[in-house]
Amino acid sequence: MESFGERLHAAIGQRGPLCVGIDPHAALLARWGLPDDVAGLERFARTVVEALADRVAVLKPQSAFFERFGSRGIAILESTIRQSREAGALVLLDVKRGDIGSTMAAYASAYLDPASTLRSDAITVSPYLGVGSLRPAFDLAATSGAGIFVLALTSNPEGASVQHAVAPGGATVAQTVIDEISQLNAGASPLGSFGLVVGATIGRTGHDLSKVNGPLLAPGLGAQGATPDDLRAVFGESLHNVLPSYSREVLSAGPGIAGLRAAVDRVLTDCRTALG
Ligand SMILES: O=c1ccn([C@@H]2O[C@H](COP(=O)(O)O)[C@@H](O)[C@H]2O)c(=O)[nH]1
């Protein structure tokens, strides 16, 4: 079985270093001329999948925008995940789960078990119950060929108050997370399956990402104000492992298929240039 790191490395090689979020904001539904209801949600998600799933390396549905429509929204999330994967995109479900280990095992089963209807290639998780509490997700990911992206240095301005705080050993909370995830990827080739989320907005913080040996998801580009030119300051020598992520910047180019594809071509070109 191929690991997620191997599959992601191959997908980026074939399709380029880009993740596009599927974030059906109410404002985007309105902009696309769609109703803010389940039918609008379904049309929005179907359009993004039709336009992009055969060409971008990673699609990242934001679970919150599906959950807000209850069980019918979850049903659309299920079909969005399935259709995206069938069209060849890797699906990173942005669901930011994190809990005590025994509960984390249930979350891992919900999103990573090959038999689950929500089975994704990877998920985002929150480490603030301790990285060790995420162990059931790491274990299931390892045995099922899935990936995990752990929040480390998030793109929102509020994140630093927690993530830059100094932990008992003298390192920041974020550096502690970075170091624990680096250990999980030790020896993996060409890329580990355990990634980090590091916002493109955060600037030069002094955190050491050099030993991660896994994917570095960079949200915050476009709508949150960061540009590909900001990536070098944030990631330094680890630029080669960066997976830039855009949601609203690309989605606002819809609802036309051609417009969405043109937006992807534009940001991908910018990202390739910035990543070198
Ligand atoms: O640090 C983080 C972690 C996750 N996100 C998520 O990414 C997208 C960003 O959307 P844009 O429209 O490109 O701003 C969204 O789903 C966030 O929940 C993040 O922004 N920052």
Side-chain angles (χ1 to χ4, degrees):
M1 180 190 57
E2 268 191 316
S3 71
F4 174 74
E6 290 169 326
R7 294 190 293 130
L8 179 61
H9 187 264
I12 290 173
Q14 288 160 9
R15 297 182 171 201
L18 186 64
C19 169
V20 176
I22 307 180
D23 293 40
H25 290 259
L28 279 172
L29 294 174
R31 185 176 173 135
W32 284 31
L34 296 171
D36 187 18
D37 61 16
V38 175
L41 174 74
E42 182 166 31
R43 171 61 76 88
F44 186 98
R46 294 291 161 273
T47 302
V48 177
V49 171
E50 183 188 344
L52 304 182
D54 66 348
R55 60 199 61 214
V56 300
V58 180
L59 285 174
K60 182 175 76 67
Q62 173 49 262
S63 185
F65 293 110
F66 295 82
E67 290 177 39
R68 81 185 177 97
F69 293 105
S71 60
R72 291 190 299 159
I74 299 293
I76 294 170
L77 178 60
E78 289 173 339
S79 55
T80 301
I81 293 168
R82 189 183 65 250
Q83 290 165 2
S84 299
R85 299 184 79 217
E86 285 170 359
L90 295 176
V91 171
L92 165 56
L93 180 60
D94 197 347
V95 71
K96 295 188 185 68
R97 295 299 192 231
D99 211 316
I100 62 169
S102 51
T103 304
M104 200 58 218
Y107 280 131
S109 171
Y111 303 116
L112 303 178
D113 188 313
S116 169
T117 53
L118 287 164
R119 200 292 200 231
S120 300
D121 295 286
I123 56 170
T124 55
V125 297
S126 170
Y128 294 110
L129 275 78
V131 173
S133 70
L134 302 171
R135 171 57 59 185
F138 299 145
D139 289 346
L140 184 54
T143 56
S144 65
I148 304 285
F149 286 78
V150 183
L151 300 180
L153 290 155
T154 58
S155 66
N156 57 317
E158 304 86 356
S161 65
V162 174
Q163 295 150 16
H164 293 196
V166 176
T172 66
V173 170
Q175 191 64 54
T176 304
V177 172
I178 293 165
D179 293 346
E180 289 195 55
I181 298 308
S182 302
Q183 287 174 22
L184 296 179
N185 288 324
S189 178
L191 188 67
S193 297
F194 302 102
L196 293 170
V197 179
V198 177
T201 48
I202 64 172
R204 206 179 300 274
T205 64
H207 287 88
D208 180 9
L209 296 164
S210 64
K211 298 187 185 66
V212 177
N213 189 31
L216 300 168
L217 183 77
L221 294 157
Q224 292 177 53
T227 72
D229 289 341
D230 294 322
L231 295 173
R232 179 163 291 280
V234 177
F235 294 99
E237 297 308 308
S238 301
L239 264 188
H240 58 286
N241 284 343
V242 173
L243 179 61
S245 184
Y246 289 85
S247 299
R248 284 167 288 180
E249 172 80 9
V250 167
L251 300 172
S252 59
I257 300 283
L260 288 164
R261 290 178 175 169
V264 158
D265 290 345
R266 175 174 53 80
V267 298
L268 184 54
T269 300
D270 293 346
C271 289
R272 284 188 197 278
T273 304
L275 298 179

